[in-house]
């Protein structure tokens, strides 16, 4: 092992679980589940192969968890709604554990980015407030997607329906729905769950001052905008107990706003993290396309470092951590306790072992495709 890389290969204890090293597979949706949300063996092979290649922790792609709530975000997204899903996930967690990896399921509700193709029973998309995403231009090489959406242009505008604000009663119900999904994930063999609070999906709609204009306990200052995430994490913790891992994913980037930033800059990031001090989570997970890019012209502080200090929580840091030097800088700068890696692992399943051996990992070659076909 290269000496310089050694801190990355020390175990990390979260809840009652010892993770063998500090390199996680970042959540990356590849849209290869069956159309009814059942995860496939190919997904298990993808993750197990990367654990074999040296990663200690798998964080799955964002998984929708209930039909009733219009949680689903796109075709071929995996789900955790029923017995069939649980049994298929069990095969996958067995494959990951057999390689010595630890597995978290990322629980996602798409919020105002719910896919109208899957709306149930005439229900609308749900969000923090009455709102509608302006969508985004998407590249698609998929004949299936073009047909599903009636697109002819290869660079169409992906549109969303108007979303309606959740009532206080619905907020409670939905937090319970997250918790029941977490129980199903544990039944499927996961060591814990990641609550997806990032990227423009439901929980992030509450964090986002441009979307959340509520005047009750769930809207207003950053502390109040964090209350929905806090409620969900509390319900999930009650449901899964103290032994299992819970992480909470946060970001400034959004699917419909890749360069979005906190309106209040780094100060807002600090306020949000302070609000999460008492959250019953074992770690926060900063998601980004550039982990040290704070997008705040008035500050040179690194957001995950600020949030780690303000929350007192371990931090998993993601985004552009594409070589050993960057991964070590995350740990040594105090920004994080662990890194998570997305695109490099599409290209190179042995990325973590290459880092460990002191060999420069293969460069990332990535182009957005409908379905990500990884190296094996
Ligand atoms: C194809 C693709 C799918 C993604 N799916 C998810 C997801 O399901 N959940 C999530 O939190 N982030 C998702 N992300 C964001 C990644 O976790 C990560 O933040 C991003 O790829 C930057 O990290 P990297 O530089 O290591 O790739 C996705 C990114 C890509 C490229």
């Amino acid at each position: 092992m290269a000496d310089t890389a050694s801190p990355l290969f020390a175990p990390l204890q979260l809840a009652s679980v010892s993770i063998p090293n500090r390199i996680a597979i970042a959540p990356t949706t590849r849209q290869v589940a069956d159309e009814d949300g059942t995860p496939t063996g190919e997904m298990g092979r993808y993750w197990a192969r990367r654990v074999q290649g040296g990663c200690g922790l798998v964080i799955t792609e964002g998984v929708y968890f209930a039909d009733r709530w219009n949680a689903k975000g796109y075709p071929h997204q995996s789900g955790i709604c029923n017995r069939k899903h649980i049994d298929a996930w069990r095969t996958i967690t067995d494959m990951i554990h057999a390689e010595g990896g630890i597995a978290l399921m990322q629980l996602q509700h798409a919020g105002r980015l719910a896919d109208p193709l899957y709306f149930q029973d005439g229900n609308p998309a749900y969000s923090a407030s009455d709102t509608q995403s302006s969508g985004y231009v998407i590249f698609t090489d998929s004949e299936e997607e073009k047909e599903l959406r009636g697109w002819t242009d290869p660079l169409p505008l992906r549109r969303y329906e108007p979303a309606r604000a959740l009532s206080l009663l619905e907020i409670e119900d939905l937090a319970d729905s997250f918790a029941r999904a977490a129980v199903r994930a544990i039944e499927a063999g996961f060591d814990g769950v990641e609550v997806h609070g990032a990227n423009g999906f439901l929980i992030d709609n509450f964090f986002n001052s441009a979307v959340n204009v509520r005047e009750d306990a769930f809207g207003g200052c950053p502390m109040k905008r964090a209350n929905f995430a806090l409620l969900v994490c509390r319900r999930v913790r009650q449901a899964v107990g103290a032994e299992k891992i819970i992480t909470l994913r946060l970001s400034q980037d959004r699917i419909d706003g890749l360069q979005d930033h906190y309106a209040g800059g780094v100060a807002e990031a600090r306020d949000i993290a302070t609000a999460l001090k008492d959250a019953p989570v074992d770690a926060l997970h900063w998601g980004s396309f550039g982990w040290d890019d704070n997008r705040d012209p008035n500050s040179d502080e690194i957001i995950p470092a600020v949030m780690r200090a303000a929350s007192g929580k371990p931090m998993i840091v993601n985004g552009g951590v594409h070589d050993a030097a960057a991964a070590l800088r995350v740990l040594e700068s105090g920004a994080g306790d662990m890194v998570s890696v997305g695109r490099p692992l599409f290209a190179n399943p042995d990325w973590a072992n290459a880092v460990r051996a002191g060999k420069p990992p293969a460069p990332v070659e990535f182009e957005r495709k409908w379905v990500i076909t990884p190296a094996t």
Side-chain angles (χ1 to χ4, degrees):
M1 184 205 305
D3 283 342
T4 51
S6 58
L8 290 165
F9 294 93
L12 178 68
Q13 184 80 25
L14 294 181
S16 69
V17 183
S18 177
I19 302 171
N21 62 49
R22 310 294 179 106
I23 300 179
I25 305 177
T28 40
T29 294
R30 292 187 303 116
Q31 292 181 263
V32 291
D34 290 342
E35 219 3 37
D36 70 352
T38 307
T40 57
E42 195 276 335
M43 294 162 64
R45 284 191 292 281
Y46 176 81
W47 287 311
R49 174 68 185 85
R50 280 145 184 81
V51 171
Q52 198 183 57
C55 295
L57 176 67
V58 175
I59 307 176
T60 68
E61 60 189 35
V63 177
Y64 73 96
F65 57 84
D67 290 322
R68 181 188 144 215
W69 287 107
N70 289 342
K72 190 166 177 171
Y74 22 77
H76 298 287
Q77 184 183 7
S78 54
I80 182 74
C81 305
N82 53 46
R83 171 57 47 197
K84 190 174 175 215
H85 292 168
I86 295 172
D87 292 345
W89 281 113
R90 168 57 84 171
T91 308
I92 290 174
T93 55
D94 285 348
M95 291 166 84
I96 294 168
H97 289 145
E99 295 296 340
I102 300 299
L104 304 183
M105 174 180 281
Q106 188 183 60
L107 297 175
Q108 173 179 311
H109 185 298
R112 70 178 192 156
L113 303 184
D115 193 331
L117 288 173
Y118 305 103
F119 282 7
Q120 300 275 324
D121 306 326
N123 291 327
Y126 296 98
S127 186
S129 302
D130 293 343
T131 173
Q132 184 172 13
S133 168
S134 52
Y136 53 94
V137 174
I138 186 172
F139 167 77
T140 185
D141 58 357
S142 160
E143 291 310 316
E144 181 186 343
E145 185 168 32
K146 286 181 194 157
E147 198 174 313
L148 275 170
R149 302 196 193 281
W151 286 341
T152 47
D153 188 340
L155 286 173
L157 178 66
R158 171 107 201 248
R159 293 174 190 281
Y160 294 93
E161 299 285 315
R164 139 162 116 57
L166 287 163
S167 71
L168 287 174
L169 206 61
E170 287 169 337
I171 282 176
E172 294 280 333
D173 275 2
L174 198 44
D176 286 337
S177 190
F178 266 99
R180 284 193 298 274
V183 171
R184 291 193 289 277
I186 300 303
E187 195 185 339
F190 282 92
D191 303 287
V193 295
E194 172 155 292
V195 174
H196 199 339
N199 299 139
F201 300 122
L202 182 65
I203 294 176
D204 183 49
N205 293 168
F206 279 78
F207 280 122
N208 183 352
S209 56
V211 171
N212 182 350
V213 294
R214 300 179 75 98
E215 293 179 352
D216 58 17
F218 294 93
C221 63
M223 309 288 275
K224 286 180 160 183
R225 283 185 266 125
N227 273 339
F228 183 51
L230 268 169
L231 178 70
V232 169
C233 292
R234 287 190 179 124
R235 292 287 162 83
V236 170
R237 178 59 78 197
Q238 278 164 7
V240 302
E243 312 266 285
K244 303 296 178 191
I245 301 174
I246 304 175
T247 61
L248 173 63
R249 172 93 158 169
L250 301 167
S251 75
Q252 302 191 99
D253 313 12
R254 305 193 162 97
I255 304 291
D256 56 347
L258 288 179
Q259 286 302 314
D260 273 7
H261 54 83
Y262 289 129
V266 170
E268 182 170 333
R270 184 175 282 106
D271 286 346
I272 287 174
T274 305
L276 296 171
K277 231 179 155 114
D278 296 329
V281 299
D282 303 294
L284 302 178
H285 183 184
W286 180 249
S288 170
F289 279 87
W291 68 278
D292 54 359
D293 172 15
N294 72 14
R295 299 182 198 151
D296 180 344
N298 301 312
S299 168
D300 57 8
E301 292 179 287
I302 296 174
I303 289 182
V306 166
M307 291 187 125
R308 181 172 180 255
S311 66
K313 309 274 183 210
M315 175 66 80
I316 305 169
V317 174
N318 162 249
V321 183
H322 290 185
D323 57 27
L328 281 169
R329 215 163 52 246
V330 167
L331 266 50
E332 285 164 1
S333 65
D337 304 270
M338 179 178 229
V339 298
S340 80
V341 178
R343 292 164 296 169
L345 289 167
F346 293 148
N348 182 357
D350 292 310
W351 187 91
N353 279 341
V355 165
R356 187 169 197 152
K359 291 192 200 138
V364 182
E365 284 172 31
F366 174 76
E367 206 185 330
R368 182 67 176 96
K369 300 267 192 210
W370 162 254
V371 169
I372 307 295
T373 309
T376 50

